[in-house]
Coordinates of all heavy atoms in Angstrom, one line a residue:
M23 N 129.9 117.3 78.2 CA 128.8 118.2 78.4 C 127.5 117.4 78.7 O 127.3 116.4 78.0 CB 128.6 119.1 77.1 CG 127.5 120.0 77.3 SD 127.4 121.3 76.0 CE 126.5 120.4 74.7
R24 N 126.8 117.8 79.7 CA 125.6 117.1 80.1 C 124.3 117.8 79.5 O 124.2 119.0 79.6 CB 125.5 117.0 81.6 CG 124.4 116.1 82.1 CD 124.5 115.9 83.6 NE 123.4 115.0 84.0 CZ 123.0 115.0 85.2 NH1 123.5 115.7 86.1 NH2 122.0 114.2 85.5
K25 N 123.4 117.1 79.0 CA 122.2 117.7 78.5 C 121.2 117.9 79.7 O 121.3 117.2 80.7 CB 121.5 116.7 77.5 CG 122.3 116.5 76.3 CD 121.6 115.5 75.4 CE 122.4 115.3 74.1 NZ 121.7 114.4 73.2
A26 N 120.4 118.9 79.6 CA 119.5 119.3 80.6 C 118.1 119.5 80.0 O 117.9 119.9 78.9 CB 119.9 120.6 81.3
V27 N 117.1 119.1 80.8 CA 115.7 119.4 80.5 C 115.1 120.3 81.5 O 115.2 120.1 82.7 CB 114.9 118.0 80.4 CG1 113.4 118.3 80.2 CG2 115.5 117.1 79.4
F28 N 114.5 121.4 81.0 CA 113.8 122.3 81.9 C 112.3 122.1 81.8 O 111.7 122.0 80.7 CB 114.1 123.8 81.5 CG 115.5 124.2 81.7 CD1 116.6 123.7 80.9 CD2 115.8 125.0 82.8 CE1 117.9 124.1 81.2 CE2 117.2 125.4 83.1 CZ 118.2 124.9 82.2
I29 N 111.7 121.8 83.0 CA 110.3 121.4 83.0 C 109.5 122.4 83.9 O 109.9 122.8 85.0 CB 110.2 120.0 83.6 CG1 111.0 119.0 82.9 CG2 108.7 119.6 83.7 CD1 111.1 117.7 83.6
D30 N 108.4 122.9 83.3 CA 107.6 123.8 84.1 C 106.9 122.9 85.2 O 106.5 121.8 84.9 CB 106.5 124.5 83.2 CG 105.6 125.4 84.0 OD1 106.2 126.3 84.7 OD2 104.4 125.3 83.8
R31 N 106.7 123.5 86.3 CA 106.1 122.7 87.4 C 104.6 122.5 87.4 O 104.1 121.4 87.4 CB 106.5 123.4 88.8 CG 106.1 122.6 90.0 CD 106.2 123.4 91.2 NE 105.0 124.2 91.4 CZ 104.8 124.9 92.5 NH1 105.7 125.0 93.5 NH2 103.7 125.6 92.6
D32 N 103.9 123.6 87.3 CA 102.4 123.6 87.5 C 101.7 123.1 86.2 O 102.0 123.6 85.1 CB 101.9 125.0 87.9 CG 102.4 125.4 89.2 OD1 102.8 124.5 90.0 OD2 102.5 126.6 89.5
D33 N 100.9 122.1 86.4 CA 100.1 121.4 85.4 C 101.0 120.7 84.3 O 100.5 120.3 83.3 CB 99.1 122.4 84.7 CG 98.1 122.9 85.6 OD1 97.6 122.1 86.5 OD2 97.7 124.1 85.6
T34 N 102.3 120.6 84.7 CA 103.2 119.7 83.9 C 103.6 118.5 84.8 O 103.5 117.4 84.3 CB 104.4 120.5 83.4 OG1 103.9 121.6 82.6 CG2 105.3 119.7 82.5
L35 N 104.1 118.9 86.0 CA 104.4 117.8 86.9 C 103.4 117.6 88.0 O 103.1 116.5 88.4 CB 105.8 118.2 87.6 CG 107.0 118.1 86.7 CD1 108.2 118.6 87.5 CD2 107.2 116.7 86.1
I36 N 102.8 118.8 88.5 CA 101.8 118.7 89.5 C 100.5 119.4 89.0 O 100.5 120.3 88.3 CB 102.2 119.3 90.8 CG1 102.5 120.8 90.7 CG2 103.4 118.5 91.4 CD1 102.9 121.4 92.0
V37 N 99.4 118.9 89.6 CA 98.1 119.5 89.3 C 98.0 120.8 90.1 O 98.3 120.8 91.3 CB 96.9 118.6 89.7 CG1 95.6 119.2 89.6 CG2 97.0 117.3 88.9
N38 N 97.7 121.9 89.5 CA 97.6 123.2 90.2 C 96.7 124.1 89.5 O 96.9 124.6 88.4 CB 99.0 123.8 90.3 CG 99.0 125.1 91.2 OD1 98.0 125.4 91.8 ND2 100.0 125.8 91.2
D39 N 95.5 124.4 90.1 CA 94.5 125.3 89.5 C 94.6 126.7 90.1 O 93.7 127.4 89.9 CB 93.1 124.7 89.6 CG 92.8 124.4 91.1 OD1 93.6 124.7 92.0 OD2 91.6 123.9 91.3
G40 N 95.7 127.0 90.7 CA 95.9 128.3 91.3 C 97.1 128.3 92.1 O 98.0 127.5 91.9
D41 N 97.3 129.2 93.0 CA 98.4 129.3 93.9 C 98.5 128.1 94.8 O 97.5 127.6 95.3 CB 98.4 130.5 94.8 CG 98.6 131.8 93.9 OD1 99.3 131.8 93.0 OD2 98.0 132.8 94.3
L42 N 99.7 127.5 94.9 CA 99.9 126.3 95.7 C 101.1 126.5 96.7 O 102.3 126.5 96.2 CB 100.2 125.1 94.8 CG 100.4 123.8 95.6 CD1 99.2 123.4 96.4 CD2 100.7 122.7 94.6
G43 N 100.8 126.7 97.9 CA 101.9 126.8 98.9 C 101.8 125.8 100.0 O 102.5 125.9 101.0
D44 N 100.9 124.8 99.8 CA 100.7 123.7 100.8 C 101.2 122.4 100.3 O 100.6 121.8 99.3 CB 99.2 123.7 101.1 CG 98.9 122.6 102.2 OD1 99.8 121.8 102.6 OD2 97.7 122.6 102.6
P45 N 102.3 121.8 100.9 CA 102.8 120.5 100.4 C 101.8 119.4 100.4 O 101.9 118.4 99.7 CB 104.0 120.3 101.2 CG 103.9 121.2 102.4 CD 103.0 122.3 102.0
D46 N 100.8 119.5 101.3 CA 99.8 118.4 101.5 C 98.9 118.4 100.3 O 98.2 117.4 100.1 CB 99.0 118.6 102.7 CG 99.8 118.3 104.0 OD1 100.8 117.6 103.9 OD2 99.5 118.9 105.0
R47 N 98.9 119.4 99.5 CA 98.0 119.5 98.3 C 98.7 119.1 97.0 O 98.1 119.1 95.9 CB 97.4 120.9 98.1 CG 96.4 121.2 99.3 CD 95.8 122.6 99.1 NE 95.3 122.8 97.8 CZ 95.4 124.0 97.1 NH1 96.0 125.0 97.7 NH2 94.9 124.1 95.9
V48 N 99.9 118.7 97.1 CA 100.7 118.3 95.9 C 100.2 117.0 95.3 O 100.2 116.0 96.0 CB 102.2 118.2 96.2 CG1 103.0 117.7 95.0 CG2 102.7 119.6 96.6
R49 N 99.8 117.0 94.1 CA 99.4 115.8 93.4 C 100.0 115.7 92.0 O 100.0 116.7 91.3 CB 97.8 115.8 93.1 CG 97.0 115.9 94.4 CD 97.1 114.6 95.3 NE 96.3 114.8 96.5 CZ 96.8 115.1 97.7 NH1 98.1 115.4 97.8 NH2 96.1 115.3 98.7
L50 N 100.6 114.6 91.7 CA 101.3 114.5 90.4 C 100.4 114.4 89.2 O 99.3 113.8 89.3 CB 102.2 113.2 90.4 CG 103.4 113.2 91.3 CD1 104.1 111.8 91.2 CD2 104.4 114.3 90.9
V51 N 100.8 115.0 88.1 CA 100.0 114.8 86.9 C 100.3 113.4 86.4 O 101.4 112.9 86.6 CB 100.6 115.9 85.8 CG1 100.1 115.5 84.4 CG2 100.2 117.3 86.2
E52 N 99.3 112.8 85.8 CA 99.5 111.4 85.3 C 100.7 111.3 84.4 O 100.8 112.1 83.5 CB 98.2 110.9 84.6 CG 98.3 109.5 84.2 CD 97.0 109.0 83.6 OE1 95.9 109.6 83.9 OE2 97.0 108.0 82.9
G53 N 101.6 110.4 84.6 CA 102.7 110.2 83.8 C 104.0 111.0 84.2 O 105.0 110.8 83.6
A54 N 103.8 111.9 85.1 CA 105.0 112.7 85.5 C 106.1 111.9 86.1 O 107.3 112.1 85.7 CB 104.5 113.8 86.5
E55 N 105.8 111.0 87.0 CA 106.8 110.2 87.6 C 107.6 109.3 86.5 O 108.8 109.3 86.5 CB 106.2 109.3 88.6 CG 107.3 108.5 89.4 CD 106.7 107.6 90.5 OE1 105.4 107.6 90.7 OE2 107.5 107.0 91.2
D56 N 106.9 108.7 85.6 CA 107.5 107.9 84.5 C 108.3 108.8 83.6 O 109.4 108.4 83.2 CB 106.4 107.2 83.7 CG 105.8 106.1 84.5 OD1 106.4 105.6 85.4 OD2 104.6 105.7 84.1
G57 N 107.8 110.0 83.3 CA 108.6 110.9 82.5 C 109.9 111.3 83.1 O 110.9 111.4 82.4
V58 N 109.9 111.7 84.4 CA 111.1 112.1 85.1 C 112.1 110.9 85.1 O 113.3 111.1 84.9 CB 110.8 112.6 86.5 CG1 112.0 112.8 87.3 CG2 110.1 114.0 86.3
R59 N 111.5 109.7 85.4 CA 112.4 108.5 85.5 C 113.1 108.3 84.1 O 114.3 108.0 84.1 CB 111.6 107.3 85.9 CG 112.4 106.1 86.0 CD 111.6 104.8 86.4 NE 110.8 105.1 87.6 CZ 109.4 105.0 87.6 NH1 108.8 104.8 86.5 NH2 108.7 105.3 88.7
T60 N 112.3 108.4 83.0 CA 112.9 108.2 81.7 C 114.0 109.3 81.4 O 115.1 108.9 80.9 CB 111.8 108.3 80.6 OG1 110.8 107.3 80.9 CG2 112.3 108.2 79.2
L61 N 113.7 110.5 81.7 CA 114.7 111.6 81.5 C 116.0 111.4 82.3 O 117.1 111.5 81.8 CB 114.1 112.9 81.8 CG 113.0 113.4 80.8 CD1 112.3 114.7 81.4 CD2 113.6 113.7 79.5
A62 N 115.8 111.0 83.6 CA 116.9 110.7 84.4 C 117.8 109.6 83.9 O 119.0 109.6 83.9 CB 116.5 110.5 85.9
A63 N 117.1 108.5 83.5 CA 117.8 107.3 83.0 C 118.6 107.6 81.7 O 119.6 107.0 81.4 CB 116.8 106.2 82.7
S64 N 118.1 108.6 80.9 CA 118.8 109.0 79.7 C 120.0 109.9 80.0 O 120.7 110.3 79.0 CB 117.8 109.6 78.7 OG 117.4 110.9 79.2
G65 N 120.2 110.3 81.2 CA 121.4 111.1 81.6 C 121.1 112.6 81.6 O 122.1 113.3 81.8
H66 N 119.9 113.0 81.4 CA 119.6 114.4 81.4 C 119.6 115.0 82.8 O 119.1 114.3 83.8 CB 118.2 114.7 80.8 CG 118.2 114.6 79.3 ND1 118.2 113.3 78.7 CD2 118.3 115.5 78.3 CE1 118.2 113.5 77.4 NE2 118.3 114.8 77.1
A67 N 120.1 116.2 83.0 CA 119.9 116.9 84.2 C 118.4 117.4 84.2 O 117.9 117.8 83.2 CB 120.8 118.1 84.3
I68 N 117.8 117.3 85.4 CA 116.4 117.7 85.4 C 116.3 119.0 86.2 O 116.7 119.1 87.4 CB 115.5 116.6 86.1 CG1 115.7 115.3 85.2 CG2 114.1 117.0 86.2 CD1 115.1 114.1 85.9
V69 N 115.7 120.0 85.6 CA 115.6 121.3 86.2 C 114.1 121.7 86.2 O 113.5 121.8 85.1 CB 116.4 122.4 85.5 CG1 116.3 123.8 86.2 CG2 117.9 122.0 85.4
V70 N 113.5 121.9 87.3 CA 112.1 122.3 87.4 C 112.0 123.8 87.7 O 112.7 124.3 88.6 CB 111.4 121.6 88.5 CG1 109.9 122.0 88.7 CG2 111.4 120.1 88.2
V71 N 111.3 124.5 86.9 CA 111.1 126.0 87.0 C 109.7 126.4 87.2 O 108.8 125.7 86.7 CB 111.7 126.7 85.8 CG1 113.2 126.5 85.7 CG2 111.1 126.3 84.5
T72 N 109.4 127.4 87.9 CA 108.1 127.8 88.1 C 108.0 129.3 88.6 O 108.9 129.8 89.2 CB 107.4 126.9 89.2 OG1 106.0 127.3 89.3 CG2 108.1 127.0 90.5
N73 N 107.0 130.0 88.1 CA 106.7 131.3 88.6 C 105.7 131.2 89.8 O 104.7 130.5 89.7 CB 106.0 132.1 87.5 CG 105.7 133.5 87.9 OD1 106.3 134.1 88.8 ND2 104.7 134.1 87.3
Q74 N 106.0 131.8 90.9 CA 105.2 131.7 92.1 C 104.8 133.1 92.5 O 105.3 133.6 93.6 CB 105.9 130.9 93.2 CG 106.1 129.5 92.8 CD 104.8 128.8 92.6 OE1 103.9 128.8 93.4 NE2 104.6 128.2 91.4
G75 N 103.9 133.7 91.8 CA 103.4 135.1 92.1 C 102.7 135.1 93.4 O 102.5 136.2 94.0
G76 N 102.2 134.0 93.9 CA 101.6 134.0 95.2 C 102.5 134.5 96.4 O 102.0 135.0 97.4
V77 N 103.8 134.3 96.2 CA 104.7 134.8 97.2 C 104.6 136.4 97.2 O 104.5 137.0 98.2 CB 106.2 134.3 96.9 CG1 107.2 135.0 97.8 CG2 106.2 132.8 97.0
A78 N 104.7 137.0 96.0 CA 104.6 138.4 95.9 C 103.3 139.0 96.4 O 103.3 140.1 97.0 CB 104.9 138.9 94.5
R79 N 102.3 138.2 96.3 CA 100.9 138.7 96.7 C 100.7 138.3 98.2 O 99.6 138.6 98.7 CB 99.9 138.1 95.8 CG 99.9 138.6 94.4 CD 98.7 138.2 93.6 NE 98.5 136.8 93.5 CZ 99.0 136.0 92.5 NH1 99.8 136.5 91.6 NH2 98.8 134.7 92.5
G80 N 101.6 137.7 98.9 CA 101.5 137.4 100.3 C 100.6 136.2 100.6 O 100.2 136.0 101.8
R81 N 100.3 135.4 99.6 CA 99.5 134.2 99.9 C 100.2 133.1 100.6 O 99.6 132.3 101.3 CB 98.9 133.7 98.6 CG 97.9 134.7 98.0 CD 97.2 134.2 96.8 NE 96.2 135.2 96.4 CZ 95.6 135.1 95.2 NH1 95.8 134.1 94.4 NH2 94.8 136.1 94.9
Y82 N 101.5 133.0 100.4 CA 102.4 132.1 101.1 C 103.8 132.6 100.9 O 104.1 133.5 100.2 CB 102.3 130.6 100.5 CG 102.3 130.6 99.0 CD1 103.5 130.5 98.3 CD2 101.1 130.6 98.3 CE1 103.5 130.4 96.9 CE2 101.1 130.5 96.9 CZ 102.3 130.4 96.2 OH 102.3 130.4 94.9
G83 N 104.8 132.0 101.6 CA 106.1 132.4 101.6 C 107.1 131.6 100.8 O 106.7 130.5 100.3
E84 N 108.3 132.0 100.7 CA 109.3 131.3 99.9 C 109.6 129.9 100.6 O 109.8 128.9 99.8 CB 110.6 132.1 99.8 CG 110.4 133.3 98.9 CD 111.7 134.0 98.6 OE1 112.8 133.4 98.6 OE2 111.6 135.2 98.3
R85 N 109.5 129.8 101.9 CA 109.7 128.6 102.6 C 108.6 127.6 102.2 O 108.8 126.4 102.1 CB 109.8 128.8 104.1 CG 110.0 127.5 104.8 CD 111.4 126.8 104.5 NE 111.4 125.5 105.2 CZ 111.7 124.4 104.6 NH1 112.0 124.3 103.3 NH2 111.7 123.2 105.2
D86 N 107.4 128.1 102.0 CA 106.3 127.2 101.6 C 106.6 126.6 100.2 O 106.3 125.5 100.0 CB 105.0 128.0 101.6 CG 104.6 128.5 103.0 OD1 104.7 127.7 103.9 OD2 104.2 129.7 103.1
V87 N 107.1 127.4 99.3 CA 107.4 126.9 98.0 C 108.5 125.8 98.1 O 108.4 124.8 97.5 CB 107.9 128.1 97.1 CG1 108.4 127.5 95.7 CG2 106.8 129.1 96.9
D88 N 109.5 126.1 98.9 CA 110.5 125.1 99.2 C 109.9 123.8 99.7 O 110.3 122.7 99.3 CB 111.6 125.5 100.2 CG 112.5 126.7 99.6 OD1 112.6 126.8 98.4 OD2 113.0 127.4 100.4
R89 N 109.0 123.9 100.6 CA 108.3 122.7 101.1 C 107.5 121.9 100.1 O 107.5 120.7 100.0 CB 107.4 123.1 102.3 CG 108.3 123.5 103.5 CD 107.4 124.0 104.7 NE 106.3 123.1 105.1 CZ 105.1 123.6 105.2 NH1 104.7 124.8 105.0 NH2 104.1 122.7 105.5
V90 N 106.8 122.7 99.2 CA 106.1 122.1 98.1 C 107.1 121.3 97.2 O 106.9 120.2 96.8 CB 105.3 123.1 97.3 CG1 104.9 122.6 95.9 CG2 104.1 123.6 98.1
H91 N 108.3 121.9 96.9 CA 109.3 121.3 96.1 C 109.9 120.0 96.8 O 110.2 119.0 96.1 CB 110.4 122.3 95.7 CG 109.9 123.3 94.8 ND1 110.6 124.5 94.6 CD2 108.8 123.4 94.0 CE1 109.9 125.2 93.7 NE2 108.9 124.6 93.4
E92 N 110.0 120.1 98.1 CA 110.5 118.9 98.8 C 109.5 117.8 98.7 O 109.9 116.6 98.4 CB 110.7 119.2 100.3 CG 111.9 120.2 100.5 CD 112.0 120.7 101.9 OE1 111.2 120.2 102.8 OE2 112.7 121.7 102.2
R93 N 108.2 118.1 98.8 CA 107.2 117.1 98.6 C 107.2 116.5 97.2 O 107.1 115.3 97.0 CB 105.8 117.6 99.0 CG 104.7 116.7 98.8 CD 104.7 115.5 99.8 NE 103.6 114.7 99.5 CZ 103.6 113.4 99.5 NH1 104.7 112.7 99.8 NH2 102.5 112.7 99.3
L94 N 107.3 117.4 96.2 CA 107.3 117.0 94.8 C 108.5 116.0 94.6 O 108.4 115.0 93.9 CB 107.4 118.2 93.9 CG 107.6 117.9 92.4 CD1 106.4 117.0 91.9 CD2 107.6 119.3 91.7
H95 N 109.7 116.4 95.2 CA 110.9 115.5 95.0 C 110.6 114.2 95.6 O 111.0 113.1 95.1 CB 112.1 116.2 95.6 CG 113.4 115.8 95.0 ND1 114.5 116.4 95.3 CD2 113.7 114.8 94.2 CE1 115.5 115.8 94.7 NE2 115.0 114.8 94.0
D96 N 110.0 114.1 96.8 CA 109.6 112.9 97.4 C 108.8 112.0 96.5 O 109.0 110.8 96.3 CB 108.9 113.1 98.7 CG 109.7 113.6 99.9 OD1 111.0 113.5 99.8 OD2 109.2 114.1 100.8
L97 N 107.8 112.6 95.9 CA 106.8 111.9 95.0 C 107.5 111.4 93.7 O 107.2 110.3 93.2 CB 105.6 112.7 94.7 CG 104.7 113.1 95.8 CD1 103.6 114.1 95.4 CD2 104.0 111.8 96.4
L98 N 108.4 112.2 93.2 CA 109.1 111.8 92.0 C 110.3 110.9 92.2 O 110.7 110.2 91.2 CB 109.6 113.1 91.2 CG 108.6 114.0 90.7 CD1 109.2 115.3 90.2 CD2 107.8 113.4 89.6
G99 N 110.7 110.8 93.4 CA 111.8 109.9 93.7 C 113.1 110.6 94.1 O 113.6 111.3 93.2
R100 N 113.5 110.4 95.3 CA 114.8 111.0 95.7 C 116.0 110.5 95.1 O 117.1 111.1 95.2 CB 114.9 110.9 97.3 CG 113.9 111.7 98.0 CD 114.4 113.1 98.0 NE 113.5 114.0 98.7 CZ 113.7 115.3 98.9 NH1 114.8 115.8 98.5 NH2 112.8 116.0 99.5
E101 N 115.9 109.4 94.4 CA 117.1 108.8 93.7 C 117.4 109.7 92.4 O 118.5 109.6 91.9 CB 116.8 107.4 93.2 CG 115.8 107.2 92.2 CD 114.4 107.0 92.7 OE1 114.1 107.4 93.8 OE2 113.5 106.6 91.9
H102 N 116.5 110.5 92.0 CA 116.8 111.4 90.9 C 117.2 112.8 91.4 O 116.6 113.3 92.4 CB 115.5 111.7 90.1 CG 114.9 110.4 89.7 ND1 115.5 109.4 88.9 CD2 113.6 110.0 89.9 CE1 114.6 108.4 88.7 NE2 113.5 108.7 89.3
R103 N 118.3 113.3 90.9 CA 118.7 114.7 91.2 C 117.8 115.6 90.4 O 117.7 115.6 89.2 CB 120.1 115.0 90.9 CG 120.4 116.4 91.2 CD 121.9 116.8 91.0 NE 121.9 118.2 91.3 CZ 123.0 118.9 91.0 NH1 124.1 118.3 90.5 NH2 123.0 120.2 91.3
I104 N 117.1 116.5 91.2 CA 116.2 117.5 90.5 C 116.5 118.8 91.1 O 116.5 119.0 92.4 CB 114.7 117.1 90.8 CG1 114.4 115.7 90.2 CG2 113.8 118.2 90.1 CD1 113.0 115.3 90.6
D105 N 116.8 119.8 90.3 CA 117.1 121.2 90.8 C 115.8 122.0 90.6 O 115.2 121.9 89.5 CB 118.2 121.8 90.0 CG 119.5 121.1 90.2 OD1 119.9 120.9 91.4 OD2 120.3 120.8 89.3
F106 N 115.4 122.7 91.6 CA 114.2 123.5 91.6 C 114.6 125.0 91.6 O 115.4 125.4 92.4 CB 113.3 123.2 92.8 CG 112.8 121.8 92.8 CD1 113.4 120.8 93.4 CD2 111.6 121.6 92.2 CE1 112.9 119.5 93.4 CE2 111.0 120.3 92.2 CZ 111.7 119.3 92.8
Y107 N 114.0 125.8 90.7 CA 114.1 127.2 90.7 C 112.8 127.9 90.6 O 111.9 127.4 89.8 CB 115.0 127.7 89.5 CG 116.4 127.2 89.6 CD1 116.8 126.0 89.0 CD2 117.4 127.9 90.3 CE1 118.1 125.5 89.1 CE2 118.7 127.4 90.4 CZ 119.0 126.2 89.8 OH 120.3 125.8 89.9
F108 N 112.6 129.0 91.3 CA 111.3 129.7 91.2 C 111.5 131.2 91.2 O 112.5 131.7 91.8 CB 110.3 129.2 92.3 CG 110.7 129.7 93.7 CD1 110.1 130.8 94.2 CD2 111.5 128.9 94.5 CE1 110.4 131.2 95.5 CE2 111.8 129.3 95.8 CZ 111.3 130.4 96.3
C109 N 110.6 131.9 90.6 CA 110.5 133.3 90.6 C 109.4 133.7 91.6 O 108.3 133.4 91.3 CB 110.2 133.8 89.2 SG 110.0 135.6 89.2
P110 N 109.7 134.5 92.6 CA 108.7 134.8 93.6 C 108.1 136.2 93.4 O 107.4 136.8 94.2 CB 109.6 134.9 94.9 CG 110.9 135.4 94.4 CD 111.1 134.8 93.1
F111 N 108.2 136.7 92.2 CA 107.7 138.0 91.9 C 106.4 138.0 91.1 O 106.0 136.9 90.5 CB 108.7 138.8 91.1 CG 110.0 138.9 91.8 CD1 111.1 138.2 91.4 CD2 110.1 139.6 93.0 CE1 112.3 138.2 92.1 CE2 111.3 139.7 93.7 CZ 112.4 139.0 93.2
H112 N 105.7 139.1 91.0 CA 104.5 139.2 90.2 C 104.6 140.6 89.5 O 105.0 141.6 90.2 CB 103.2 139.1 91.1 CG 102.0 139.1 90.4 ND1 101.3 140.2 89.9 CD2 101.2 138.0 90.0 CE1 100.2 139.8 89.3 NE2 100.1 138.5 89.3
P113 N 104.1 140.7 88.3 CA 104.3 142.0 87.6 C 103.5 143.2 88.2 O 103.8 144.3 87.9 CB 103.8 141.7 86.2 CG 103.0 140.5 86.3 CD 103.5 139.7 87.5
K114 N 102.5 142.9 89.1 CA 101.8 144.0 89.7 C 102.2 144.1 91.1 O 101.7 144.8 91.9 CB 100.3 143.7 89.6 CG 99.9 143.7 88.1 CD 98.4 143.5 88.0 CE 98.0 143.5 86.5 NZ 96.7 143.2 86.3

């Protein structure tokens, strides 16, 4: 059995003061890269989860979220397997 760590994306791995659908605006939180490296080295599966209500509100699309995740994976290191999941809904 493999252990897994579920990590919230916004303001945990990346700086985000609102909706983020632009991969050029992705900036890592200080220590995020080292933290992911440590978790990966310890054998944990890394799962990033995030609520993206901006999709439901039409501010950006699901493909934009995927592009943000691709950029985040580039910054964290492609040598680490990271699974990304997001919820594209908003309660209103």
Side-chain angles (χ1 to χ4, degrees):
M23 182 167 87
R24 187 170 183 204
K25 296 179 182 179
V27 175
F28 290 76
I29 305 171
D30 183 51
R31 187 191 83 175
D32 297 336
D33 294 323
T34 302
L35 293 176
I36 63 173
V37 176
N38 186 8
D39 58 1
D41 290 325
L42 179 60
D44 180 355
D46 292 334
R47 292 183 47 222
V48 174
R49 303 290 178 263
L50 291 177
V51 168
E52 185 176 337
E55 186 178 3
D56 290 337
V58 167
R59 184 180 307 116
T60 298
L61 290 169
S64 69
H66 286 80
I68 300 167
V69 182
V70 175
V71 295
T72 183
N73 178 27
Q74 292 301 303
V77 173
R79 292 190 303 270
R81 293 186 179 168
Y82 48 87
E84 291 187 27
R85 179 65 186 127
D86 297 314
V87 177
D88 291 337
R89 290 175 46 233
V90 166
H91 291 163
E92 290 168 14
R93 176 67 179 140
L94 176 57
H95 205 172
D96 288 342
L97 293 172
L98 291 172
R100 286 284 177 176
E101 68 273 15
H102 310 300
R103 177 176 175 191
I104 303 173
D105 294 312
F106 293 91
Y107 295 93
F108 68 95
C109 175
F111 304 109
H112 189 275
K114 296 181 182 179

